[in-house]
Amino acid sequence: MVTDVIAAIGYLGLDSTYYRGNALRCRNCRYVAQLPIMLQDSLISPSAFLRSRTGRVCVALRAPTVSELLERANAALADSQFLEFRLDYLEGHGKPAQAVSQIGKFLAAHRDVAAIATCRRKAHGGGFTGPLAEELAVLAHAAESRFALLDLEIESAEQCKAAQLTALRKSGAALMISFHDFEKAVDPEAVFARIQRFEPEFVKIVSTSRSLTDSLHLLKWLKQRSGDAQLVGISMGEAGIVSRVLSLRAGSAFTFASASDGTETAAGQMTVRTLKDLYRIEDLDQATRIYGVAGNPIVHSLSPLMQNTAFHRERINAVYLPLKAESADDLMTLAHQLPLSGLSITMPLKQSVMKHLANVDPMTARLGACNTIRTGADGKLYGFNTDVAGIVRPLEKRLHLKGARVLVLGAGGAARAAVYGLAEKGAKVFVWSRNEAHARELAAAAPVGGPAAGPVVGTVEAIPRAGIAANAFDVMINATPCGMHGNAHPLPLEPKEWKARLVFDLVYNPLDTPLLKEARERGIATIQGFEMFVYQGARQFELWTGKPAPEADMLRVVLFALKKLQ
């Protein structure tokens, strides 16, 4: 999916190659890519050169055979000249040692490549089954074969004799000592002290985030300590994505990416094109405003594609991230301390974030749910609900809503947004749900015709199933999950039970739902659900930036990505 998302950026004609440049095109440019050449000419030490902080996205490569590993290396050169070879995942006990010479020939033929050699033992989270002496021999051979940096895990460093470490240091390559915890977050300061006593050129600390707060702690520590040593800090896991995108901004010397989907070497690792093209990781700075979509699950959300496209198109220095959050408290800690400039809120947080907001707009107050947060100039958080705009805007482009007869199927959160928004526009709204009691409750709760109604001028009433067939509607809106990919429930109504001039299905995956297909077969105009998704996002963009949203670009890029998923 991620590859398709990046293709969508190219589909829009955005300058993705500008952000995908290898080290030879890096605008910071002291050219980490030239490292092997400069070493050969004895102009500079490997550690000093890598400290120049260029070539800052390293593509991690793993494969069962050396031929496959080199094939992936050649393919990765289109995106980066900074490569990590995971020698420990080559199949066969002696394979890493045998592979080094062949990879050395590749490096000799590609002198613009800076390479990291990793041969982590299985006991410490890698795949190498040999003893410490063999691991050190592989790394030493790698240094002789034009590798620029050797990654040695802290457990092996602590088991080494002084003479062994001295020999490794004299091999000609820079030394990075790394720590990994694949289960939990750790205190980076304690790990730093443990590693720093060996005085390596680079200190790498990788742990696993169980919350956004875990990632926040690592980012804050990187910012505090980056002036004291060459650090590489990463949080694994879905909650650690924020650390992967923002680590360079916080002070990490470089970060890691996979070459393509399905070739990841760690949990939560993203592709190099995702980091460079979608998140523009090498262009983020302290002035970059940070936004995100928060909820659970969140990893497959198309919101980062849509909003980052909009930011890029409008030349706004901002980035939008997927934020896995299981609690509003965890999210609020990140929002205040990172800080965040704005948020999209999805399930299960739309109600629980309300108590954390300084104020909300009238529609959010009526709905009792917030899907958008903006950080004010005073640092306080303000809530909005753009789901209403996501439903109303597509309809207003097709008909006048005042006086229109609209049938809404469902009684959940999406149905509530549709009912309240349409009534505010003066529509005559009819609500039906399989549980007709829920429909009656929704209709009764709608603020129509009283002091709390505000600008509401329409009407809302529950309608029994038998009454649907006896009436004709201008619009029918499906606000249930029926028809969604993986949802086995049949359509809410039989085709013969309803009559409408326009059908709007809020489900957007698949693009063509059974309901939309039925409507088109009957010659009825339709609106696909992705329009709601885009228009609510467009309204969020406007609330955050004060600028008109590039709706056409947002629509095209989301539609392109969804078509790839069908």
Side-chain angles (χ1 to χ4, degrees), residues 9 123 270 272 284 521:
I9 295 177
M270 291 177 282
V272 58
L284 305 183
E521 288 175 2

Side-chain angles (χ1 to χ4, degrees), residues 350-352 354 362-370 385 416 420:
K350 288 187 175 184
Q351 287 79 38
S352 59
M354 294 280 285
M363 181 58 77
T364 302
R366 289 198 292 272
L367 290 169
C370 169
N385 194 300
R416 183 175 296 271
Y420 283 35

Side-chain angles (χ1 to χ4, degrees), residues 174-196:
L175 178 63
M176 177 167 68
I177 295 183
S178 60
F179 169 91
H180 294 77
D181 192 311
F182 299 94
E183 300 295 331
K184 64 184 184 304
V186 298
D187 174 11
E189 184 62 25
V191 176
F192 177 73
R194 182 180 171 190
I195 294 177
Q196 190 63 1

Side-chain angles (χ1 to χ4, degrees), residues 32-44:
V32 143
Q34 295 176 349
L35 177 59
I37 300 172
M38 299 186 78
L39 291 179
Q40 183 182 29
D41 296 335
S42 300
L43 294 179
I44 194 169

Side-chain angles (χ1 to χ4, degrees), residues 275-294:
L275 286 177
K276 289 188 174 185
D277 294 354
L278 183 60
Y279 296 114
R280 295 177 289 148
I281 185 173
E282 292 177 318
D283 297 295
L284 305 183
D285 55 32
Q286 295 305 311
T288 302
R289 293 184 178 183
I290 305 168
Y291 299 85
V293 55

Side-chain angles (χ1 to χ4, degrees), residues 186-425:
V186 298
D187 174 11
E189 184 62 25
V191 176
F192 177 73
R194 182 180 171 190
I195 294 177
Q196 190 63 1
R197 63 192 181 94
F198 294 102
E199 299 183 346
E201 283 82 1
F202 291 86
V203 173
K204 177 183 173 186
I205 300 176
V206 182
S207 60
T208 302
S209 286
R210 298 300 179 188
S211 66
L212 294 173
T213 304
D214 289 341
S215 290
L216 175 67
H217 288 162
L218 178 64
L219 289 170
K220 292 172 72 175
W221 181 82
L222 280 171
K223 187 174 182 179
Q224 175 187 352
R225 274 293 199 174
S226 60
D228 301 327
Q230 290 298 302
L231 305 175
V232 178
I234 298 169
S235 285
M236 295 184 289
E238 192 176 343
I241 288 176
V242 60
S243 78
R244 289 186 179 274
V245 177
L246 299 181
S247 62
L248 299 188
R249 178 180 182 266
S252 186
F254 55 87
T255 192
F256 291 87
S258 65
S260 59
D261 289 323
T263 64
E264 300 84 2
T265 61
Q269 193 175 79
M270 291 177 282
T271 70
V272 58
R273 293 185 64 189
T274 298
L275 286 177
K276 289 188 174 185
D277 294 354
L278 183 60
Y279 296 114
R280 295 177 289 148
I281 185 173
E282 292 177 318
D283 297 295
L284 305 183
D285 55 32
Q286 295 305 311
T288 302
R289 293 184 178 183
I290 305 168
Y291 299 85
V293 55
N296 186 28
I298 208 69
V299 70
H300 296 300
S301 172
L302 291 177
S303 291
L305 168 66
M306 177 175 65
Q307 298 293 2
N308 283 316
T309 295
F311 288 143
H312 181 40
R313 178 62 78 188
E314 295 302 312
R315 299 185 181 277
I316 295 172
N317 185 9
V319 66
Y320 183 100
L321 308 173
L323 305 171
K324 180 185 177 182
E326 297 183 2
S327 74
D329 289 341
D330 182 37
L331 178 62
M332 291 301 108
T333 299
L334 184 76
H336 287 293
Q337 296 187 27
L338 191 55
L340 297 173
S341 294
L343 280 163
S344 305
I345 304 297
T346 187
M347 298 303 291
L349 303 176
K350 288 187 175 184
Q351 287 79 38
S352 59
V353 298
M354 294 280 285
K355 65 181 181 180
H356 297 276
L357 305 177
N359 204 352
V360 298
D361 70 339
M363 181 58 77
T364 302
R366 289 198 292 272
L367 290 169
C370 169
N371 83 324
T372 306
I373 293 176
R374 182 179 67 196
T375 301
D378 57 2
K380 296 180 180 179
L381 305 180
Y382 296 87
F384 305 85
N385 194 300
T386 67
D387 286 335
V388 170
I391 295 168
V392 169
R393 280 191 182 185
L395 290 170
E396 286 185 318
K397 291 178 180 291
R398 293 166 170 89
L399 77 161
H400 293 292
L401 289 176
K402 187 173 183 178
R405 294 169 58 83
V406 183
L407 173 63
V408 177
L409 308 180
R416 183 175 296 271
V419 168
Y420 283 35
L422 292 166
E424 185 175 272
K425 292 294 182 177

Side-chain angles (χ1 to χ4, degrees), residues 33-34 67 132 198 287 341 366 381 387 460 463 494 517 521-522 562:
Q34 295 176 349
S67 60
L132 173 62
F198 294 102
S341 294
R366 289 198 292 272
L381 305 180
D387 286 335
V460 179
I463 185 171
E494 294 296 326
K517 290 178 181 178
E521 288 175 2
R522 294 169 57 180
L562 284 172

